[in-house]
Amino acid sequence: MRSDSVKTGTAQAPHRSLFNALGFTEEERRRPMIGIVSSFNEIVPGHMNLDKITEAVKMGVAMAGGMPVVFPAIAVCDGIAMGHVGMKYSLVTRDLIADSTECMAMAHGFDGLVCIPNCDKNVPGLLMAAARVNIPTIFVSGGPMLAGHVHGQKRSLSSMFEAVGSVAAGTMTMDELAEFEEKVCPTCGSCSGMYTANSMNCLTEAIGMGLRGNGTIPAVYSERIRLAKHAGMKIMELVEKNIRPRDIMTPEAFQNALTVDMALGCSTNTMLHLPAIAREAGVELNLEIANEISAKTPNLCHLAPAGPTYMEDLNEAGGVYAVMNELSKKGLLNLDCLTANGTTVGENIKNCVNKNPEVIRPVENPYSQTGGIAVLKGNLAPDSGVVKRSAVAPEMLVHEGPARVFDCEEDAIDAIKSGKIVAGDVVVIRYEGPKGGPGMREMLNPTSAIAGMGLGSSVALITDGRFSGASRGASIGHVSPEAAVGGPIALVEEGDIIRINIPENKLDVLVSDEELAARRAKWQPREPKITTGYLARYHELVTSGNRGAVLEAPSQKN
């Protein structure tokens, strides 16, 4: 066993004395040592139940003959961090989580890991760590929140942010806002729509690192506790068979994940996280493949914010495996990929039927013949930009309008809420990319303000930052190269006409090459916004959004 390096032999007598200090018995030390990475904290609603999930995993590990040992991982609540300096500290935690988990796993000689994430960055952060450390690992999340109910309609966090915009527009009263505030987030769990947390938890199933239901069983269901116990038991089988993350997270598995991503209509943040995870697994995942997969993958689900259904509905309809079974009818998945079940994708999804064709459209009757995410290119985004196509109003799939240019999120929000943005405009928010932010803030506040002001079907938003999975509309993010490194988005001027053509995957500013060259000659890099602490180091090391905003030492950079 790998843990023999800290438990067995004469030289390990000091180590054993420290295990004694922890209260572990000799009988326990003879068992494989399983690290349980718990993201429990008391500030993230999606994590407040993880103490119970952790206890269930511990019981499962012990029942199957293992020695469970818990250690923590941090997590930021994107909703609470939204719209202020706190959002600069969201994406950056992904690398802290991966690094700290690597440190704990390697320093203590664990034989296997059970990762217990739930919200936006600690799911990909722990997947990155699993691929990097490459010891047997399985995932079990805390599960999604149930949808709220206001006036007989299901609601979620995106409704809350849009309600603020409605108040600014004068179409909602403060009393109505207070009712939304009380009712839209009724339980613990990751927010109830197909936002980033739920997207990544669903893709953990699709890529093979979590058991069936990991992405969809609601947080408050007792079934989630049973799932956690089964994950604890299953890790012992993976350790015995030495099935490791890189055996599961193969190139074919990432293609499966992208395919399911397109069918579900996941958050655009998956286009940051999947390349970063693939890189740790030694797999090259170029975003060029996203459009290739999207072109042949039907979009089967319109969960909030794209439509009126929620994670609980997807769960009742058969969950991720039912979606995968639909996709398999068109031969769109590699069914031979190994999973954390110890079985193949094909074996897992066999007989997983679609129980509600209104929630999961059959492949013969999709929402669209193409996937939920599109990668755009053009003279405004030479490397790429990303849009959640499934959440764009049909009339905005092709749009042309004047640029309204802002160098930070706050200035854009002020302009939107004060009525300075009108139908037809293209709001450009720049210097919010991974390096320019630093930290690549989510733009949920401005997109929600646009929707709340009644402009969601007539105004586009383009940024080198990113969007929450709760954003909807013609919201194009991850524009690369970003403004901070002199990307063309830095050269856009107020009133320039921007042309968006999502069906053709194009994003252009209608300015001549000669004029752009003249502007580039005058452009000067800006001083970093933050020069101390972790964000200053992040600014120095981070790459662009099209590469997953991964960190590279100067010696590693191209």
Side-chain angles (χ1 to χ4, degrees):
M1 292 188 295
R2 188 169 178 272
S3 59
D4 285 345
S5 62
V6 296
K7 294 189 303 185
T8 303
T10 303
Q12 281 66 40
H15 306 68
R16 291 193 294 275
S17 70
L18 293 170
F19 280 112
N20 288 337
L22 289 164
F24 288 112
T25 66
E26 182 179 349
E27 291 80 3
E28 287 174 294
R29 292 200 308 268
R30 292 174 186 158
R31 300 176 172 188
M33 186 167 67
I34 306 300
I36 300 174
V37 194
S38 174
S39 300
F40 170 75
N41 64 47
E42 295 182 342
I43 190 63
V44 183
H47 292 218
M48 65 178 287
N49 66 325
L50 296 192
D51 55 343
K52 295 177 176 59
I53 300 295
T54 300
E55 288 304 313
V57 169
K58 286 179 66 177
M59 183 174 291
V61 170
M63 286 166 57
M67 172 183 168
V69 182
V70 178
F71 64 88
I74 65 168
V76 163
C77 176
D78 275 28
I80 294 174
M82 193 71 64
H84 58 96
V85 69
M87 182 45 64
K88 293 179 183 289
Y89 287 88
S90 172
L91 178 61
V92 304
T93 64
R94 185 186 70 180
D95 298 276
L96 284 174
I97 291 161
D99 292 348
S100 61
T101 302
E102 174 195 1
C103 291
M104 291 295 289
M106 299 305 293
H108 300 105
F110 290 109
D111 297 298
L113 297 174
V114 181
C115 294
I116 308 177
N118 209 29
C119 289
D120 291 23
K121 307 311 169 301
N122 69 324
V123 183
L126 288 175
L127 282 166
M128 289 166 67
R132 188 186 301 175
V133 174
N134 201 34
I135 61 175
T137 303
I138 194 168
F139 278 64
V140 56
S141 77
M145 184 184 291
L146 295 178
H149 291 80
V150 182
H151 300 160
Q153 290 186 311
K154 287 185 176 182
R155 299 289 189 178
S156 63
L157 184 65
S158 55
S159 307
M160 190 71 249
F161 278 92
E162 291 179 13
V164 174
S166 297
V167 170
T171 58
M172 179 179 284
T173 67
M174 289 300 294
D175 286 343
E176 290 172 320
L177 180 68
E179 183 176 8
F180 269 69
E181 187 177 330
E182 289 293 325
K183 295 180 177 179
V184 298
C185 295
T187 73
C188 63
S190 48
C191 297
S192 55
M194 187 53 80
Y195 310 147
T196 304
N198 292 325
S199 296
M200 290 307 305
N201 280 323
C202 286
L203 295 187
T204 301
E205 280 191 66
I207 208 167
M209 289 297 291
L211 301 179
R212 181 182 182 182
N214 182 60
T216 61
I217 298 170
V220 294
Y221 283 14
S222 298
E223 185 182 358
R224 174 67 56 179
I225 300 296
R226 299 198 299 273
L227 179 72
K229 291 177 182 177
H230 283 132
M233 290 185 273
K234 183 60 69 173
I235 188 61
M236 298 307 298
E237 179 183 328
L238 297 177
V239 169
E240 180 183 356
K241 295 180 179 178
N242 195 30
I243 297 174
R244 296 177 291 171
R246 293 190 189 184
D247 299 324
I248 295 169
M249 291 193 279
T250 61
E252 293 78 13
F254 280 101
Q255 290 180 23
N256 281 351
L258 275 171
T259 301
V260 175
D261 189 331
M262 297 300 173
L264 287 172
C266 289
S267 163
T268 53
N269 282 311
T270 61
M271 296 295 103
L272 282 176
H273 300 322
L274 286 176
I277 298 161
R279 178 175 178 264
E280 297 290 355
V283 174
E284 183 178 351
L285 190 64
N286 192 306
L287 285 187
E288 299 291 336
I289 196 176
N291 283 339
E292 295 175 24
I293 290 176
S294 180
K296 60 185 179 182
T297 304
N299 178 224
L300 304 182
C301 299
H302 266 194
L303 284 88
T309 54
Y310 294 81
M311 295 304 297
E312 62 202 65
D313 302 312
L314 178 60
N315 187 63
E316 295 303 316
V320 176
Y321 278 15
V323 173
M324 295 176 74
N325 196 27
E326 287 288 344
L327 294 170
S328 71
K329 295 175 184 177
K330 289 190 69 174
L332 295 174
L333 297 176
N334 187 314
L335 302 181
D336 296 325
C337 290
L338 183 64
T339 72
N341 272 317
T343 52
T344 66
V345 168
E347 291 170 313
N348 290 346
I349 67 174
K350 185 180 180 181
N351 301 322
C352 293
V353 298
N354 180 359
K355 299 176 182 177
N356 189 339
E358 297 301 314
V359 177
I360 304 171
R361 289 278 187 94
V363 289
E364 301 84 9
N365 181 35
Y367 282 101
S368 66
Q369 294 293 340
T370 53
I373 290 177
V375 176
L376 312 183
K377 284 193 173 187
N379 70 348
L380 187 52
D383 290 339
S384 66
V386 178
V387 64
K388 188 172 183 176
R389 174 167 44 195
S390 59
V392 178
E395 57 268 36
M396 290 298 290
L397 289 171
V398 178
H399 179 75
E400 192 172 300
R404 305 299 308 280
V405 182
F406 304 93
D407 288 350
C408 68
E409 176 189 9
E410 290 82 358
D411 290 349
I413 292 171
D414 289 344
I416 295 165
K417 290 185 176 179
S418 62
K420 295 177 182 177
I421 302 301
V422 299
D425 284 347
V426 178
V427 176
V428 177
I429 305 178
R430 61 193 181 189
Y431 295 100
E432 290 285 7
K435 188 176 289 290
M440 204 178 188
R441 288 195 286 183
E442 287 184 344
M443 301 293 146
L444 178 57
N445 273 357
T447 57
S448 298
I450 287 170
M453 296 286 283
L455 298 170
S457 59
S458 60
V459 169
L461 196 156
I462 296 172
T463 181
D464 53 7
R466 59 194 178 91
F467 293 105
S468 165
S471 294
R472 62 187 176 98
S475 303
I476 301 167
H478 311 187
V479 170
S480 301
E482 62 174 293
V485 298
I489 192 172
L491 310 178
V492 177
E493 295 182 357
E494 186 80 7
D496 286 348
I497 301 300
I498 292 177
R499 179 181 292 163
I500 301 164
N501 191 323
I502 295 172
E504 294 185 5
N505 303 316
K506 292 182 179 179
L507 178 62
D508 292 293
V509 56
L510 302 188
V511 174
S512 69
D513 292 344
E514 293 77 12
E515 174 61 20
L516 286 177
R519 293 180 188 181
R520 180 175 301 284
K522 298 176 185 177
W523 180 81
Q524 294 292 325
R526 299 193 174 195
E527 291 296 318
K529 295 176 183 177
I530 295 175
T531 58
T532 60
Y534 178 58
L535 287 181
R537 297 197 300 275
Y538 187 87
H539 165 86
E540 292 295 328
L541 300 177
V542 71
T543 61
S544 64
N546 70 301
R547 297 185 59 199
V550 297
L551 301 187
E552 286 186 344
S555 61
Q556 295 176 296
K557 293 188 177 182
N558 295 332

